[in-house]
């Protein structure tokens, strides 16, 4: 029996609903502003679930570091095994850059080599989040410069192909699964967009500016589709 708790900031950012419903016995939706499902965070929903239905056999937490930390802190005293996925902090994914180094149970681990799933109760989330903030200033400056100077190739290609935004909207519409990437123009990084939409901080990667650009474009398309 699989119960999925899917949380977003607001209704427009709820993604992969069909896929999650297919894979789950029950769904619980939460939004920060209460525009879809119950108001609050996934941790609130999990707390109530445990109070009403008892402890689940295992919890998988995937999302922003702070959310996984909160979930791990919640399940640790209850001794509910908890697996977290740290793939969002990977950069090159080959074990070369060192960007994904985390402390797990006091040992240094590389997410891309040793993970990306770990025992959430052993991950030092405070250290991980501190490292994620190391280059915030430089990332902010790079992003600012990029957004000022960058010409979005994806948008340009869409125009060159003569595809109107509404054509793209059909492909990108989350209700129909915008991950059907075959029709997406250029080198969209739909998975990076997923991170963006799920609230993951746009930091830690050299391509942050490109993500931001493509994400802005996709967000625009998606929000058009939901009007
Ligand atoms: Fe670069 Fe793991 S992502 S070492």
């Amino acid at each position: 029996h699989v119960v999925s708790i899917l949380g977003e900031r607001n209704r427009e950012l709820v993604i992969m609903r069909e896929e999650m419903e297919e894979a789950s016995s029950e769904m619980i939706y939460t939004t920060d502003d209460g525009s879809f499902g119950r108001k609050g965070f996934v941790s609130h929903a999990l707390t109530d679930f445990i109070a009403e239905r008892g402890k689940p056999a295992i919890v998988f937490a995937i999302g922003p570091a702070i959310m996984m930390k909160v979930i791990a802190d919640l399940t640790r005293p209850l001794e509910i095994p908890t697996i977290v996925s740290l793939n969002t902090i990977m950069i090159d994914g080959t074990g070369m850059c060192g960007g994904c180094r985390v402390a797990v149970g006091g040992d240094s681990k590389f997410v891309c080599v040793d993970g990306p799933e770990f025992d959430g109760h052993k991950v030092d989330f405070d250290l991980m989040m501190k490292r994620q903030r190391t280059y915030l200033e430089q990332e902010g400056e790079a992003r600012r410069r990029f957004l000022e100077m960058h010409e979005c190739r994806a948008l340009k290609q869409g125009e060159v192909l003569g595809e109107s935004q509404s054509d793209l909207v059909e492909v990108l519409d989350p209700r129909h699964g915008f991950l059907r990437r075959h029709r997406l123009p250029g080198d969209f990084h739909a998975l990076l967009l997923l991170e963006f939409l799920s609230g993951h901080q746009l930091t830690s990667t050299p391509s942050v500016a490109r993500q931001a650009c493509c994400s802005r474009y996709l967000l625009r398309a998606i929000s058009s589709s939901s009007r």
Side-chain angles (χ1 to χ4, degrees):
H1 193 85
V2 177
V3 179
S4 297
I5 304 173
L6 189 64
E8 304 289 353
R9 286 201 302 278
N10 60 51
R11 177 184 199 93
E12 297 204 336
L13 299 180
V14 177
I15 58 169
M16 300 189 72
R17 205 173 146 189
E18 278 178 24
E19 291 88 342
M20 292 301 294
E21 288 177 1
E22 254 177 52
S24 312
S25 317
E26 291 177 49
M27 285 298 303
I28 299 171
Y29 293 99
T30 70
T31 46
D32 298 3
D33 63 2
S35 55
F36 186 70
R38 57 174 284 174
K39 186 174 184 339
F41 301 135
V42 292
S43 50
H44 300 145
L46 179 60
T47 302
D48 290 349
F49 180 91
I50 294 170
E52 289 162 18
R53 313 254 305 256
K55 296 196 292 185
I58 188 165
V59 167
F60 295 91
I62 305 172
I66 185 63
M67 181 276 271
M68 294 189 285
K69 172 185 161 60
V70 169
I71 295 294
D73 289 345
L74 178 72
T75 57
R76 189 181 294 105
L78 300 172
E79 298 181 347
I80 303 170
T82 300
I83 305 297
V84 293
S85 178
L86 306 186
N87 53 13
T88 52
I89 69 165
M90 290 195 283
I91 299 178
D92 70 345
T94 66
M96 300 290 284
C97 72
C100 69
R101 183 164 53 82
V102 287
V104 182
D107 296 326
S108 264
K109 299 281 183 191
F110 287 91
V111 172
C112 66
V113 174
D114 305 306
E117 283 83 31
F118 295 96
D119 180 343
H121 296 161
K122 293 185 176 168
V123 173
D124 186 338
F125 281 106
D126 291 333
L127 179 62
M128 182 176 126
M129 290 190 289
K130 190 172 166 210
R131 293 194 72 223
Q132 281 186 299
R133 290 193 293 270
T134 305
Y135 298 108
L136 265 190
E137 196 181 312
Q138 291 85 347
E139 287 167 356
E141 176 60 15
R143 184 174 184 214
R144 187 189 65 74
R145 279 199 226 158
F146 189 92
L147 291 175
E148 274 173 15
M149 296 161 28
H150 174 67
E151 180 185 30
C152 179
R153 281 185 296 150
L155 183 55
K156 193 173 165 203
Q157 192 170 344
E159 287 168 354
V160 168
L161 290 173
E163 287 180 309
S164 68
Q165 186 162 310
S166 57
D167 289 336
L168 288 169
V169 165
E170 191 187 330
V171 181
L172 300 172
D173 187 334
R175 287 166 299 188
H176 299 101
F178 62 80
L179 286 180
R180 284 182 288 161
R181 279 190 283 182
H182 58 283
R183 280 199 58 212
L184 294 187
D187 52 356
F188 268 137
H189 285 202
L191 290 175
L192 295 178
L193 175 72
L194 269 182
E195 292 176 5
F196 180 84
L197 290 173
S198 62
H200 179 68
Q201 247 184 328
L202 282 174
T203 57
S204 315
T205 84
S207 59
V208 57
R210 189 168 75 167
Q211 291 175 41
C213 178
C214 290
S215 297
R216 273 192 317 163
Y217 175 54
L218 285 178
L219 277 174
R220 210 174 66 202
I222 289 168
S223 63
S224 307
S225 76
S226 55
R227 274 188 210 125

